[in-house]
């Protein structure tokens, strides 16, 4: 059978982008903060660093981009700062919707405003590169100019790359002059982070910097030097939830001259019980959350029983349909603890869920693996769900189980008859959102039956990683101190050099370009030379194989 469809058709192409490895970071100063814009979609919602290469990529979701009204391509965009800023560079991510990157801005005029001088033209006819149309669009156009005072910046006379009746952008960032001091800290200064024991700090190097002295502490006036590195990141460990920490990077040039940096800070949330259900009482199919926010609802196949095997007030699950469900906890963390009491009726199906969150951007929780082994998922990583703890959940016996996750490891605990066993999986754990409903006694994965058969009691979730002493206290239902005395940060997972050692060159950095106020310049990060022979073959294939999409007008 032949199917014929009447045209006309619009053919759109999508390029295959090949990038060399080892690309350096652009040479920019401190990012200007406190900016508002008339284009509300340009709010950094689409930027991320999923591949952890520190080159921010913009996603392909058009809802995270700005697009003009039809036939209003000339309308401008105004950005306003909370105070007068000295600007030197602008990074522009163009319109990145796949197959529609031609709607991006090809040329634009840029003007600046101050209260004293009013509007003044800064650059005319700035050329902006077309976006990649991929989720890894991490190569924005960098527009450079002489240091200029501005409280407002206006993009105007926007010309689309291909005239389609629209014009759009994905993101715009502004930068102050590039100097000898370190800049652009991550976490951003004054950030409040999920409770954790360590954090990776990163920064952009100052001009001519060859090494970086790392200072940190709990008092900004008495920071201690922790070490010198040639890296652009360091891991601070021994950190305590509920505490504010301060840190600073002093840049060292090739002659040994030291430029003191600004003091940055971040804080951790208070360690607390995020949610908990003791099941002492159930009314209208609901049981209250001990933390006061997330009531759990019993579904069909789950029932409350007053007593079972010596414990009072528990839920019984049929292994077919039964489970309890609570609203999304939205923890957004790589540090959390899940505990519960359980009594397994027989051998469970592989990957039966005990306390689980699957949906949205989350696949994390505590479960039972093959042969009633205690296991876990975290961010759906195979290194988590494939881990064999060696801890076996006995049949028809009440036991206490727990999962304590931090950035560098997950520890599983099993307590029976007062005896504690544990196993640690030493892998990196990224932050997971917990942005889907939480299920007790079920993993919602659809390919098989992952319902728990047996009884569950006293489920608790903490927003930080409990240590063994705290786990024992929960198992014994005894109070414990969530707060710890603030400790001096220490460096881990950070390659250091001797303080007096001559620093070698850092990663390649893009050259600084200063342009006149009537001519724009663009910068690309200076790549390392690629030695992949296969790239030649891939490039030839890419030139022939181009993804096309046919859309009827």
């Amino acid at each position: 059978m032949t199917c014929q469809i009447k045209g006309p058709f619009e053919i759109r192409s999508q390029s295959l982008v090949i990038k060399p490895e080892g690309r350096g970071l652009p040479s920019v100063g401190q990012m200007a903060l406190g900016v508002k814009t008339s284009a509300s979609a340009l709010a950094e919602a689409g930027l991320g660093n999923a591949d952890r290469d520190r080159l921010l990529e913009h996603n392909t979701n058009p809802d995270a981009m700005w697009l003009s009204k039809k036939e209003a391509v000339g309308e401008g965009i105004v950005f306003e700062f909370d105070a007068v800023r000295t600007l030197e560079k602008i990074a522009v991510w163009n319109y990145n919707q796949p197959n529609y990157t031609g709607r991006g801005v090809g040329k634009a005029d840029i003007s600046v405003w101050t209260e004293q001088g009013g509007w003044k033209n800064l650059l005319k006819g700035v050329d902006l590169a077309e976006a990649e149309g991929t989720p890894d669009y991490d190569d924005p156009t960098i527009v450079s100019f002489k240091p200029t005072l501005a409280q407002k910046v206006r993009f105007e006379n926007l010309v689309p790359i291909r005239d389609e009746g629209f014009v759009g952008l994905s993101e715009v960032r502004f930068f102050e002059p590039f100097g000898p001091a370190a800049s652009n800290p991550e976490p951003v200064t004054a950030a409040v982070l999920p409770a954790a024991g360590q954090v990776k700090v990163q920064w952009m190097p100052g001009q001519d910097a060859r090494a970086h002295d790392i200072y940190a502490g709990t008092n900004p006036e008495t920071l201690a030097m922790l070490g010198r590195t040639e890296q652009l990141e360091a891991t601070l460990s021994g950190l305590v939830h509920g505490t504010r920490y301060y840190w600073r990077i002093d840049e060292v040039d090739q002659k040994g001259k030291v430029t003191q940096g600004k003091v940055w800070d971040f804080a951790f949330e208070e360690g607390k019980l995020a949610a908990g259900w003791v099941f002492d009482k159930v009314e209208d199919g609901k049981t209250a959350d001990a933390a006061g926010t997330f009531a759990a609802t019993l579904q069909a196949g789950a029932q409350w029983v007053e007593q079972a095997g010596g414990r009072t007030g528990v839920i019984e699950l049929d292994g077919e349909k039964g489970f309890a469900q609570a609203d999304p906890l939205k923890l957004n963390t790589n540090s959390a603890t899940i505990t519960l009491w359980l009594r397994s009726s027989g051998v469970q199906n592989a990957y039966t869920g005990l306390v689980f969150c699957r949906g949205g951007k989350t696949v994390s929780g505590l479960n039972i693996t093959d042969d009633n082994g205690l296991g876990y998922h975290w961010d759906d990583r195979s290194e988590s769900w494939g881990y064999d703890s060696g801890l076996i959940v006995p049949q028809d016996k009440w036991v206490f189980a727990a999962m304590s996750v931090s950035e560098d490891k997950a520890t599983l605990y099993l307590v029976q008859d007062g005896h504690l066993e544990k196993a640690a999986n030493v892998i990196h754990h990224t932050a997971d959102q917990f942005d889907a409903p939480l299920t007790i006694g079920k993993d919602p994965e659809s390919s098989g039956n992952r319902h728990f058969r047996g009884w569950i009691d006293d489920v608790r979730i903490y927003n930080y990683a409990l240590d063994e002493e705290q786990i024992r206290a929960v198992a014994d239902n005894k109070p414990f101190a969530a707060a710890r005395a603030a400790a001096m940060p220490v460096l881990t997972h950070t390659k250091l050099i001797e303080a007096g050692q001559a620093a070698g060159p850092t990663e390649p950095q893009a050259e600084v370009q200063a342009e006149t106020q009537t001519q724009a310049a663009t910068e690309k990060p200076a790549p390392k030379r690629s030695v992949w022979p296969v790239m030649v073959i891939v490039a030839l294939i890419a030139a022939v194989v181009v993804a096309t999409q046919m859309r009827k007008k």
Side-chain angles (χ1 to χ4, degrees):
M1 177 182 292
T2 301
C3 180
Q4 295 183 345
I5 303 175
K6 185 179 181 181
F9 298 99
E10 181 180 7
I11 309 299
R12 293 184 177 273
S13 64
Q14 178 64 49
S15 300
L16 176 63
V17 181
I18 302 174
K19 302 175 183 178
E21 65 176 346
R23 291 175 296 146
L25 301 174
S27 298
V28 295
Q30 174 62 45
M31 185 178 73
L33 304 175
V35 59
K36 298 183 296 183
T37 175
S38 59
S40 58
L42 301 180
E44 302 185 12
L47 285 178
N49 189 24
D51 53 10
R52 303 176 65 84
D53 64 357
R54 301 208 60 203
L55 297 172
L56 294 179
E57 64 266 4
H58 200 284
N59 64 27
T60 56
N61 180 7
D63 291 337
M65 308 175 198
W66 170 78
L67 187 66
S68 71
K69 298 176 182 177
K70 189 172 179 60
E71 307 301 342
V73 297
E75 69 179 38
I77 307 173
V78 175
F79 302 85
E80 183 174 358
F81 301 96
D82 55 6
V84 175
R85 307 281 184 177
T86 301
L87 304 178
E88 185 183 59
K89 295 182 182 179
I90 304 173
V92 181
W93 286 261
N94 226 324
Y95 194 74
N96 197 42
Q97 184 180 4
N99 305 310
Y100 290 89
T101 55
R103 291 177 172 176
V105 177
K107 285 184 179 293
D109 296 342
I110 301 177
S111 300
V112 296
W113 180 91
T114 60
E115 187 174 2
Q116 293 78 14
W119 284 106
K120 293 182 179 180
N121 179 262
L122 176 66
L123 302 165
K124 282 186 173 294
V126 178
D127 291 315
L128 302 179
E130 186 171 355
E132 299 167 4
T134 70
D136 189 38
Y137 173 34
D138 60 2
D139 196 11
T141 299
I142 307 295
V143 181
S144 300
F145 42 88
K146 292 181 179 179
T148 301
L149 293 175
Q151 188 166 359
K152 296 180 184 179
V153 177
R154 182 171 63 203
F155 282 40
E156 55 193 344
N157 299 324
L158 309 180
V159 179
I161 295 171
R162 288 181 289 279
D163 187 4
E164 300 184 343
F166 297 93
V167 66
L169 290 172
S170 290
E171 184 57 57
V172 179
R173 282 190 167 185
F174 301 86
F175 296 92
E176 296 173 358
F178 185 47
S183 63
N184 299 302
E186 297 178 24
V188 296
T189 192
V192 178
L193 308 177
Q198 63 182 33
V199 65
K200 179 181 288 186
V201 295
Q202 299 175 311
W203 59 92
M204 297 284 276
Q207 191 172 15
D208 299 326
R210 293 294 180 263
H212 321 277
D213 291 341
I214 306 164
Y215 290 79
T218 56
N219 185 332
E221 303 298 328
T222 58
L223 300 181
M225 181 177 176
L226 305 184
R228 174 174 291 184
T229 183
E230 293 178 321
Q231 300 176 174
L232 297 178
E233 62 183 31
T235 300
L236 300 178
S237 297
L239 309 180
V240 179
H241 45 79
T243 304
R244 181 166 297 279
Y245 290 94
Y246 301 86
W247 62 293
R248 188 184 84 220
I249 301 297
D250 289 356
E251 299 290 61
V252 185
D253 67 16
Q254 200 160 17
K255 296 181 180 180
K257 180 182 177 181
V258 176
T259 299
Q260 183 171 312
K262 294 181 178 179
V263 175
W264 301 311
D265 68 293
F266 60 85
F268 286 116
E269 292 178 348
E270 292 287 346
K272 63 181 180 180
L273 178 71
W277 303 274
V278 295
F279 301 112
D280 285 346
K281 186 178 182 181
V282 174
E283 292 182 346
D284 298 326
K286 294 184 177 182
T287 185
D289 169 18
T293 304
F294 303 98
T297 303
L298 273 59
Q299 309 296 316
Q303 63 175 338
W304 180 78
V305 294
E306 186 173 355
Q307 189 172 18
R311 294 190 68 87
T312 58
V314 303
I315 57 171
E316 182 177 3
L317 307 171
D318 64 2
E320 296 293 334
K321 297 184 296 182
F323 66 100
Q325 179 171 295
D327 289 339
L329 304 186
K330 297 183 180 180
L331 295 178
N332 188 22
T333 184
N334 62 355
S335 179
T337 302
I338 297 175
T339 73
L340 79 159
W341 283 88
L342 70 149
R343 180 183 172 193
S344 174
S345 177
V347 177
Q348 305 292 328
N349 294 331
Y351 300 109
T352 286
L354 295 175
V355 182
F356 217 90
C357 181
R358 182 186 289 272
K361 298 179 180 179
T362 306
V363 181
S364 290
L366 184 61
N367 59 19
I368 293 179
T369 60
D370 295 327
D371 301 320
N372 262 31
L374 186 65
Y376 80 110
H377 278 59
W378 193 268
D379 200 24
D380 204 22
R381 291 189 60 189
S382 60
E383 297 94 328
S384 64
W385 54 258
Y387 172 65
D388 181 4
S389 70
L391 304 177
I392 305 301
V393 177
Q395 301 178 43
D396 201 30
K397 181 179 183 179
W398 280 105
V399 294
F400 175 85
M403 171 189 82
S404 180
V405 173
S406 59
E407 183 178 27
D408 59 354
K409 69 177 179 179
T411 305
L412 301 182
Y413 297 89
L414 191 65
V415 180
Q416 52 180 321
D417 299 326
H419 176 65
L420 182 147
E421 298 177 277
K422 64 179 181 179
N425 187 21
V426 182
I427 63 170
H428 179 76
H429 295 82
T430 56
D432 217 352
Q433 308 297 312
F434 285 81
D435 57 346
L438 187 84
T439 54
I440 301 171
K442 173 189 175 182
D443 173 0
E445 203 275 338
S446 59
S447 64
N449 181 3
R450 298 188 178 185
H451 287 75
F452 177 75
R453 184 174 60 258
W455 298 263
I456 287 178
D457 190 20
D458 195 3
V459 176
R460 306 186 193 186
I461 300 177
Y462 294 86
N463 70 341
Y464 65 106
L466 271 62
D467 59 25
E468 183 175 334
E469 179 184 347
Q470 293 167 324
I471 290 291
R472 286 183 180 276
V474 176
D476 295 337
N477 197 27
K478 294 181 178 179
F480 62 90
R484 302 290 191 195
M488 176 61 66
V490 296
L491 287 176
T492 59
H493 312 297
T494 305
K495 185 177 180 180
L496 299 178
I497 62 175
E498 296 295 331
Q501 182 176 337
T506 57
E507 296 182 11
Q509 303 293 319
E511 293 295 327
V512 183
Q513 299 291 337
E515 299 297 321
T516 65
Q517 293 198 18
T518 58
Q519 182 180 8
T522 61
E523 295 181 22
K524 301 295 181 183
K528 293 180 180 177
R529 187 176 299 276
S530 174
V531 294
W532 296 350
V534 72
M535 287 188 63
V536 177
I537 299 173
V538 175
L540 290 173
I541 296 173
V544 177
V545 183
V546 178
T548 62
Q549 182 175 354
M550 301 179 65
R551 295 177 180 269
K552 189 173 180 180
K553 285 187 177 180

